[in-house]
Amino acid sequence: AQKITQTQPGMFVQEKEAVTLDCTYDTSDQSYGLFWYKQPSSGEMIFLIYQGSYDEQNATEGRYSLNFQKARKSTNLVISASQLGDSAMYFCAMRGTGGFKTIFGAGTRLFVKA
Amino acid sequence: ETGVTQTPRHLVMGMTNKKSLKCEQHLGHNAMYWYKQSAKKPLELMFVYSLEERVENNSVPSRFSPECPNSSHLFLHLHTLQPEDSALYLCASSQDRSGGASYEQYFGPGTRLTVT
């Protein structure tokens, strides 16, 4: 069975510093996709970044980057130069091939301090 | 309108009422999803439609009834709900037709449902 684990219920970071949010996963699929979403207090889930299981390079999107370690089954999100607007819930998610099911982790709440 | 919209944003209903949640996507996507987000629980997939055909039904009670009249609209019909059904209901869409691993989803703002 597929599983996503986010072990940090809450994280604090000082504005302008970098922060790493952890995510580990478990799957028997050979091909899968890993996603990170941000959910502000308004409720809408916002897609941030994607990593394919066969991608050799770590994904980057602006201030977001992934530290993808396939052998350890982890895909940690790094946010550089944190901003106050980064305060939100962050969810790690995984999707296999051959279906539409995406499973989500429990999320990490990030607090950015001024 | 852009992206994915949901109405209403907030809904309070009694256990004997019947109501419907509406979702509309303006992205030209082929797949649409309903998720339930309860406090302190991971996001739960309820239903998936691809090209207006239901492709996932995640053991959801029959008091929730989805409808997808076309690829842009998705409804969730509610009747005789229970207090434990109170949650944020999120609609999403994605571009894929056949369930590939690389397709991200775009979410609406959600409907906050309270069952009294």
Side-chain angles (χ1 to χ4, degrees):
Chain A
Q2 296 184 326
K3 186 178 179 181
I4 292 279
T5 303
Q6 295 181 255
T7 58
Q8 306 155 312
M11 291 279 288
F12 286 87
V13 64
Q14 195 68 38
E15 193 179 10
K16 300 180 184 177
E17 292 185 350
V19 63
T20 299
L21 306 183
D22 295 340
C23 174
T24 57
Y25 61 92
D26 193 16
T27 181
S28 55
D29 288 351
Q30 296 299 310
S31 177
Y32 50 88
L34 298 162
F35 305 83
W36 279 89
Y37 291 87
K38 171 185 178 182
Q39 188 178 37
S41 55
S42 58
E44 182 177 346
M45 301 272 280
I46 301 166
F47 165 69
L48 295 178
I49 191 167
Y50 161 80
Q51 180 87 46
S53 58
Y54 290 113
D55 293 343
E56 296 185 353
Q57 303 269 0
N58 285 333
T60 61
E61 285 288 346
R63 294 188 298 112
Y64 304 108
S65 61
L66 294 181
N67 181 5
F68 177 49
Q69 299 185 51
K70 191 172 181 177
R72 300 180 65 179
K73 293 189 174 179
S74 73
T75 177
N76 299 338
L77 175 69
V78 180
I79 304 175
S80 62
S82 296
Q83 302 172 356
L84 295 178
D86 294 334
S87 294
M89 283 289 288
Y90 288 82
F91 293 93
C92 179
M94 176 172 63
R95 182 165 172 173
T97 53
F100 291 82
K101 187 172 289 189
T102 301
I103 60 166
F104 288 78
T108 295
R109 183 168 293 281
L110 178 66
F111 300 91
V112 181
K113 300 181 291 184
Chain B
E1 295 277 16
T2 58
V4 181
T5 58
Q6 290 185 245
T7 55
R9 293 294 308 277
H10 300 272
L11 179 62
V12 179
M13 60 186 287
M15 289 190 283
T16 58
N17 291 158
K18 291 184 180 181
K19 296 285 185 183
S20 295
L21 309 185
K22 179 183 175 182
C23 175
E24 185 173 359
Q25 60 97 358
H26 308 268
L27 300 167
H29 287 168
N30 297 306
M32 296 187 76
Y33 310 71
W34 279 117
Y35 286 91
K36 177 184 179 182
Q37 187 176 32
S38 307
K40 300 182 181 179
K41 290 180 72 174
L43 207 62
E44 300 173 66
L45 179 66
M46 300 176 73
F47 303 103
V48 183
Y49 279 81
S50 174
L51 298 173
E52 301 139 52
E53 179 183 339
R54 191 187 309 181
V55 293
E56 291 277 355
N57 181 352
N58 220 25
S59 302
V60 178
S62 59
R63 57 186 184 268
F64 295 91
S65 175
E67 179 189 1
C68 186
N70 54 62
S71 59
S72 298
H73 294 85
L74 185 64
F75 295 89
L76 188 63
H77 304 300
L78 317 170
H79 64 96
T80 58
L81 294 190
Q82 305 298 311
E84 60 264 29
D85 297 323
S86 298
L88 181 68
Y89 288 84
L90 290 163
C91 174
S93 69
S94 67
Q95 198 170 16
D96 57 326
R97 300 179 180 214
S98 58
S102 64
Y103 293 95
E104 71 273 15
Q105 293 168 63
Y106 292 83
F107 286 80
T111 295
R112 174 71 61 186
L113 174 66
T114 303
V115 181
T116 60

